[in-house]
Amino acid sequence: MLTINRLTKTYQQHQAVRNISFGVKENECVALLGPNGAGKTTTLQMLAGLLTPTSGDIEMLGKHRIDRRQIGYLPQYPSFYSWMTAKEFLSFAGKLSGLSKEECLKEIAPMLEFVGLEEAADKKIGGFSGGMKQRLGLAQALLHKPKLLILDEPVSALDPTGRMEVLEMMKELKKHMAVLFSTHVLHDAEQVCDQVVILKEGSISWQGALQQLKDQYQTNVFVLAVKEELKGWLEDLPFVSDVVYKNGSQAVFELQDTAFSGTLLRNCLDRGMTVTHFEQKSESLEDVYIKVVHSQ
């Protein structure tokens, strides 16, 4: 569907995006992850045809050019004409996307129903909440039935209910088109994406399948709490690493092998300690992401 090769964007002396390469397959959802300033929005704007790359190549549907008619784009902060109704705005957006008047009339009602705005079809956008505007922005991106949907932080302005509903829509949409979206909320990426591309300072830090990311970086961590003082001996055990103390008697750490958990507990008992809590748990995706971003 989309192949990006050594894409670069430079503003005077600042390189916002540095030689990035990745691809998006049909009916695949790819998440672009990274902290603020990593180059996510600049990348998406180049792929949407809104910015001209300084160098690099974008291939879409086998052609070395961007076909905007095959792309739906929702910016992070979509703009609207407050005096328009939802139907009027979609009619306007549909014409800009190349739809005829008849096609707009046919598509608008089902699209408003899909995004949950059917009851607001004839209401002025000026009275819409932030969540309603985000849904309307999604509707305009989908109206012309693109093959690639590009979303910049699509759920960042939504409350938990709205976020869940939009994520469910994205799950449905990737059955019909490719989806590329940026986010800084790792839980959202975990819900819908197949592949992840992690950006740091304009360059790719890691890319691949989400499960591959977990397999490569996710480790089993342990939580130990005792009534006595833990500090001063736990970090000196040869099979214990990366100790973080919550307080003097509680710590989170890694073991070289899960088999050492029994050895650790015996050490506690030999020292006359009273163990009040011992737990093994997997790192969250947020922990893995932080590890990747800060490892280079």
Side-chain angles (χ1 to χ4, degrees):
M1 171 61 66
L2 184 71
T3 302
I4 300 99
N5 184 37
R6 300 185 65 81
L7 197 63
T8 297
K9 183 64 179 178
T10 303
Y11 297 99
Q12 296 179 345
Q13 303 302 314
H14 173 62
Q15 263 197 333
V17 176
R18 309 165 185 255
N19 294 318
I20 66 171
S21 302
F22 66 93
V24 181
K25 298 176 183 177
E26 291 187 15
N27 303 114
E28 182 178 59
C29 184
V30 177
L32 205 59
L33 307 177
N36 292 335
K40 301 189 300 295
T41 294
T42 301
T43 299
L44 294 185
Q45 288 179 344
M46 286 190 286
L47 299 180
L50 301 177
L51 281 179
T52 302
T54 304
S55 63
D57 182 58
I58 301 171
E59 182 180 318
M60 182 177 178
L61 296 170
K63 298 180 180 179
H64 291 273
R65 63 179 180 84
I66 296 171
D67 186 351
R68 294 188 184 179
R69 293 170 300 177
Q70 302 294 347
I71 294 175
Y73 175 66
L74 174 63
Q76 184 174 2
Y77 305 107
S79 298
F80 303 94
Y81 297 104
S82 59
W83 48 269
M84 282 185 173
T85 65
K87 272 202 306 194
E88 289 170 341
F89 175 76
L90 289 185
S91 178
F92 171 68
K95 290 173 184 175
L96 291 179
S97 299
L99 296 183
S100 66
K101 184 177 180 180
E102 291 73 21
E103 288 172 322
C104 286
L105 290 173
K106 178 183 176 183
E107 298 296 337
I108 285 174
M111 189 55 63
L112 286 172
E113 183 179 359
F114 176 73
V115 300
L117 290 177
E118 64 271 25
E119 294 183 4
D122 296 306
K123 294 181 179 179
K124 302 287 186 183
I125 299 173
F128 280 19
S129 66
M132 292 172 72
K133 289 180 179 178
Q134 196 76 349
R135 290 166 180 272
L136 184 60
L138 182 60
Q140 68 79 25
L142 292 169
L143 191 65
H144 58 293
K145 297 182 178 178
K147 293 185 180 297
L148 173 65
L149 180 63
I150 298 176
L151 309 172
D152 193 358
E153 299 279 1
V155 296
S156 60
L158 302 179
D159 60 26
T161 301
R163 175 181 284 113
M164 180 181 68
E165 291 173 349
V166 170
L167 290 172
E168 287 300 318
M169 289 183 205
M170 290 171 64
K171 289 179 185 178
E172 180 62 29
L173 289 170
K174 73 176 185 177
K175 297 176 184 178
H176 309 283
M177 62 190 70
V179 180
L180 173 63
F181 75 106
S182 68
T183 183
H184 61 273
V185 182
L186 280 297
H187 179 71
D188 295 341
E190 195 170 15
Q191 300 302 305
V192 297
C193 76
D194 305 295
Q195 304 280 331
V196 294
V197 178
I198 300 178
L199 292 180
K200 178 186 177 184
E201 297 178 354
S203 300
I204 292 179
S205 290
W206 194 92
Q207 63 175 307
L210 183 61
Q211 188 58 50
Q212 184 183 350
L213 175 66
K214 293 179 180 179
D215 292 342
Q216 183 173 340
Y217 286 97
Q218 197 172 49
T219 58
N220 289 314
V221 295
F222 293 80
V223 180
L224 173 66
V226 298
K227 288 187 175 181
E228 296 76 19
E229 187 76 13
L230 274 175
K231 280 188 177 181
W233 71 272
L234 181 61
E235 60 270 31
D236 292 333
L237 295 174
F239 50 83
V240 174
S241 61
D242 297 325
V243 181
V244 176
Y245 287 100
K246 301 297 183 181
N247 53 55
S249 60
Q250 184 176 358
V252 179
F253 52 90
E254 294 180 16
L255 294 179
Q256 287 181 4
D257 191 293
T258 56
F260 283 113
S261 58
T263 306
L264 175 65
L265 291 174
R266 282 194 296 273
N267 267 265
C268 292
L269 296 175
D270 291 343
R271 290 175 177 271
M273 292 181 170
T274 304
V275 177
T276 58
H277 183 81
F278 184 67
E279 175 189 4
Q280 177 184 351
K281 64 177 185 178
S282 295
E283 290 178 303
S284 67
L285 187 58
E286 284 82 0
D287 296 327
V288 173
Y289 164 76
I290 291 171
K291 189 182 293 186
V292 172
V293 169
H294 292 288
S295 65
Q296 300 179 12

